[in-house]
Amino acid sequence: EQYPSASEGGWGAVPVSNDGSEGGFQWTIYFLRNPGITNGVTFPPGSGNVVSPTIDDSTLGGESSKVEVTGVVDGSQPIVGDFKLSISGEQTEPISHNAAAEAVEQSLNDLAVTGSVSASSTLRTMQRIPGIQVNVQKDHTIASVIGGDLRQYLAPGDFFRIGGGDGSGLLGETTSIDGGLHIGSATLSYGSPFLIELDPAIPFDKEAGERLRISGDEYGIVSNGVEVQQVVVHRSNWIADAEFYQLKISLDGVIETTNCLTFDASANEVQAAINSLSEVGADGVRVT
């Protein structure tokens, strides 16, 4: 990009106010994956510092031309080494910082003061990317990014999380685990896949495919109990577009009919027609 800006240093057809003011190009380099000891790279990805490149500008021409390298932001210290866990005065052998769940489980099972334990592991994604906002529409697989370029922070293959909190506690997240938001309480029977007696003060609006943490364990939502119906409309090719059909809905013994809809009515139009019924009400259904 132009240095120091698009309107200084001789750029933008703007006269230079001070003779000798520098003007040229600048490149910003982001080191997203650096050599390290965790599978050949540093952990977390992008941590650690890379030695600044040396410069050979002997063939560079121009009045007082030069090339300079300036460090803008230092990388954070990578996680290395190991740790130990103590239970009732007994301590495990050193556990690597990137040990698999099986290794942690074995280290705990080796203690005389424990019975049989199980362990699971996952990446803890708690560092908020500054200025970045991501929007995802329902049932879509593509997210739109606002406020910056993710390629300045993430390398191909990096793992990241959308939604939840960053550990600050401002959103009511579980700061000691993974940033998940507390949504309420429920009852879970042993061997049953159903959550019952949900806290009525907390609307359960989670979608199938999202993850829940219950008593420390993580579960996937298969169904959220919301009824799903499919409407299929077809016609002959020769019929012109016009008001084509209505939907008749029966709820609690009351039958209502929507306004007329065109054959190619959008999801929003169908949704608005159904939600206008008195027995359904605003936001009663979502149509995709």
Side-chain angles (χ1 to χ4, degrees), residues 13 56 120 131 168 205 224 255 264 269:
D56 179 3
S120 61
S168 64
D205 57 356
N224 58 7
I255 299 176
D264 58 350
E269 290 172 333

Side-chain angles (χ1 to χ4, degrees), residues 85-92 108 111-114:
L85 298 175
S86 296
I87 299 179
S88 299
E90 191 173 359
Q91 194 173 70
T92 66
L108 293 173
L111 300 179
V113 295
T114 60

Side-chain angles (χ1 to χ4, degrees), residues 139-172:
D139 295 334
H140 284 222
T141 58
I142 298 177
S144 59
V145 179
I146 303 172
D149 189 344
L150 280 179
R151 293 173 297 181
Q152 297 176 0
Y153 303 94
L154 301 173
D158 283 349
F159 182 86
F160 64 96
R161 171 168 57 90
I162 299 175
D166 60 1
S168 64
L170 297 177
L171 299 177

Side-chain angles (χ1 to χ4, degrees), residues 93-142:
E93 293 297 319
I95 302 172
S96 174
H97 70 281
N98 63 334
E102 294 78 8
V104 177
E105 183 177 308
Q106 186 60 55
S107 296
L108 293 173
N109 281 328
D110 287 342
L111 300 179
V113 295
T114 60
S116 178
V117 303
S118 63
S120 61
S121 65
T122 185
L123 291 175
R124 191 170 187 260
T125 51
M126 301 293 285
Q127 179 62 50
R128 181 184 294 273
I129 299 178
I132 296 291
Q133 178 180 337
V134 176
N135 295 327
V136 183
Q137 294 185 15
K138 178 179 172 61
D139 295 334
H140 284 222
T141 58
I142 298 177

Side-chain angles (χ1 to χ4, degrees), residues 62-75:
E63 180 70 24
S64 302
S65 59
K66 61 181 178 179
V67 179
E68 295 179 331
V69 175
T70 303
V72 179
V73 178
D74 289 335

Side-chain angles (χ1 to χ4, degrees), residues 2-240:
Q2 296 162 336
Y3 174 85
S5 73
S7 59
E8 298 176 280
W11 294 108
V14 178
V16 176
S17 56
N18 297 319
D19 188 28
S21 296
E22 294 182 344
F25 293 98
Q26 68 177 3
W27 295 267
T28 304
I29 303 173
Y30 299 87
F31 293 92
L32 303 179
R33 185 160 294 168
N34 304 321
I37 64 172
T38 305
N39 299 323
V41 296
T42 57
F43 183 85
S47 60
N49 283 323
V50 176
V51 177
S52 298
T54 58
I55 301 170
D56 179 3
D57 57 2
S58 58
T59 59
L60 185 68
E63 180 70 24
S64 302
S65 59
K66 61 181 178 179
V67 179
E68 295 179 331
V69 175
T70 303
V72 179
V73 178
D74 289 335
S76 61
Q77 290 294 322
I79 298 176
V80 296
D82 48 46
F83 61 94
K84 300 177 182 179
L85 298 175
S86 296
I87 299 179
S88 299
E90 191 173 359
Q91 194 173 70
T92 66
E93 293 297 319
I95 302 172
S96 174
H97 70 281
N98 63 334
E102 294 78 8
V104 177
E105 183 177 308
Q106 186 60 55
S107 296
L108 293 173
N109 281 328
D110 287 342
L111 300 179
V113 295
T114 60
S116 178
V117 303
S118 63
S120 61
S121 65
T122 185
L123 291 175
R124 191 170 187 260
T125 51
M126 301 293 285
Q127 179 62 50
R128 181 184 294 273
I129 299 178
I132 296 291
Q133 178 180 337
V134 176
N135 295 327
V136 183
Q137 294 185 15
K138 178 179 172 61
D139 295 334
H140 284 222
T141 58
I142 298 177
S144 59
V145 179
I146 303 172
D149 189 344
L150 280 179
R151 293 173 297 181
Q152 297 176 0
Y153 303 94
L154 301 173
D158 283 349
F159 182 86
F160 64 96
R161 171 168 57 90
I162 299 175
D166 60 1
S168 64
L170 297 177
L171 299 177
E173 66 266 32
T174 52
T175 57
S176 62
I177 304 179
D178 56 7
L181 303 181
H182 181 263
I183 61 173
S185 61
T187 299
L188 180 64
S189 300
Y190 180 79
S192 171
F194 299 107
L195 287 175
I196 59 176
E197 298 179 3
L198 292 174
D199 186 346
I202 306 296
F204 191 81
D205 57 356
K206 304 307 171 186
E207 304 291 346
E210 292 191 75
R211 310 292 294 180
L212 283 178
R213 187 176 294 280
I214 304 173
S215 298
D217 293 324
E218 189 174 292
Y219 300 88
I221 300 176
V222 178
S223 174
N224 58 7
V226 174
E227 182 178 355
V228 179
Q229 295 186 5
Q230 184 179 49
V231 177
V232 179
V233 182
H234 59 86
R235 66 174 184 184
S236 301
N237 290 333
W238 55 267
I239 298 180

